[in-house]
Amino acid sequence: MSSTESLLSVAGLEVAYGRTAAVQGIDLVVGEGQVVSLIGANGAGKTTTLRALSGMMRPRAGRIVFAGADIAGLPAHRVAALGMRHVPEGRQIFAELTVDENLAMGAWLESDGAEIARRREQVLERFPRLRERLTQAAGTLSGGEQQMLALGRALMGAPRLLLLDEPSMGLAPLFVEEIFGIIEGLKREGVTILLVEQNASAALEVADTAYVLEGGRIALSGPALKVAHDPAVMAAYLGG
């Protein structure tokens, strides 16, 4: 893939917690309009990778080029201003605020009231449950509803790239199906997504490209369909 086609290009990324290396020199590319899945066991470095990309952690080494700008080491608010939105593991909504207030927080960089209203209506069309609960404290929502709120809040920022960290974690099967249906819909609309997901089968099904992370290194990458049929991936992650 040429650099003109890639929205995000990562080369030699290293991230550490103190002296402990969590991510050890990984390369990955996310093309404009693609869904790219990053799969691997717990502790493989998936969440750490997303945190480094979005500015929540400072990389020890490597280049992160997003929309033509080298963003390695930029603070999270600067990265967000460039159009990257991170939906973190565990959702991290503002529990004491209402659903509507949480959504408004997602549009903090937008000053045009009409544009904010348009985005809000789009989000509520996508998540009808949230419309029914606009005045409800976000902390009283079910886990699935909170995940929808976290996604909706990110979409209020009109992201060029959406980082999703374990969106199906801890959800009932019906909500998992609904969340992946939403990801499919975003893909059809051309939203670019980097997806970290423990449910490897669902992640590979929705993705264009996949990377398998093991011990902080990329062990395998390629078209998602090909990765899904790799014997080692099937044995380790797909119950094959």
Side-chain angles (χ1 to χ4, degrees):
M1 181 178 291
S2 74
S3 60
T4 56
E5 294 172 305
S6 63
L7 179 60
L8 176 72
S9 180
V10 178
L13 182 66
E14 297 181 16
V15 191
Y17 294 92
R19 294 185 178 181
T20 305
V23 175
Q24 304 182 57
I26 68 169
D27 302 343
L28 63 86
V29 174
V30 180
E32 190 95 47
Q34 276 195 327
V35 174
V36 175
S37 286
L38 187 58
I39 65 171
N42 285 334
K46 306 184 302 296
T47 290
T48 301
T49 297
L50 293 195
R51 289 172 64 86
L53 297 180
S54 67
M56 294 173 70
M57 287 186 70
R58 190 176 183 89
R60 186 164 66 182
R63 280 173 57 81
I64 305 170
V65 178
F66 173 61
D70 191 341
I71 63 169
L74 284 185
H77 69 278
R78 295 270 307 278
V79 176
L82 292 171
M84 191 186 295
R85 287 291 185 279
H86 186 172
V87 181
E89 182 181 1
R91 301 178 276 276
Q92 297 184 24
I93 56 161
F94 299 102
E96 302 301 319
L97 300 183
T98 67
V99 167
D100 213 9
E101 288 166 340
N102 269 269
L103 292 177
M105 295 290 281
W108 61 280
L109 285 166
E110 180 56 62
S111 57
D112 184 337
E115 174 61 17
I116 293 170
R118 186 189 68 79
R119 293 181 193 175
R120 178 179 178 275
E121 186 55 33
Q122 278 189 332
V123 167
L124 296 178
E125 284 177 12
R126 192 185 302 279
F127 303 104
R129 273 192 187 85
L130 298 185
R131 192 188 296 276
E132 297 166 7
R133 292 159 172 74
L134 283 173
T135 59
Q136 193 171 321
T140 64
L141 300 179
S142 71
E145 290 164 350
Q146 288 186 18
Q147 186 62 63
M148 290 176 184
L149 178 56
L151 267 167
R153 181 178 64 188
L155 292 172
M156 286 292 292
R160 290 195 66 184
L161 175 62
L162 195 55
L163 307 182
L164 301 182
D165 193 358
E166 302 286 7
S168 77
M169 180 180 279
L171 302 187
L174 275 176
F175 268 119
V176 172
E177 194 175 316
E178 196 163 347
I179 290 296
F180 274 96
I182 289 161
I183 293 170
E184 284 273 15
L186 292 170
K187 178 181 178 178
R188 285 194 298 272
E189 292 167 25
V191 178
T192 308
I193 298 171
L194 178 56
L195 170 66
V196 160
E197 177 55 57
Q198 202 70 39
N199 186 337
S201 177
L204 291 170
E205 196 171 311
V206 75
D208 299 294
T209 304
Y211 293 83
V212 180
L213 199 57
E214 292 181 359
R217 302 179 188 275
I218 300 294
L220 181 69
S221 65
L225 190 62
K226 185 176 180 182
V227 170
H229 287 93
D230 180 272
V233 172
M234 293 176 72
Y237 306 110
L238 304 177

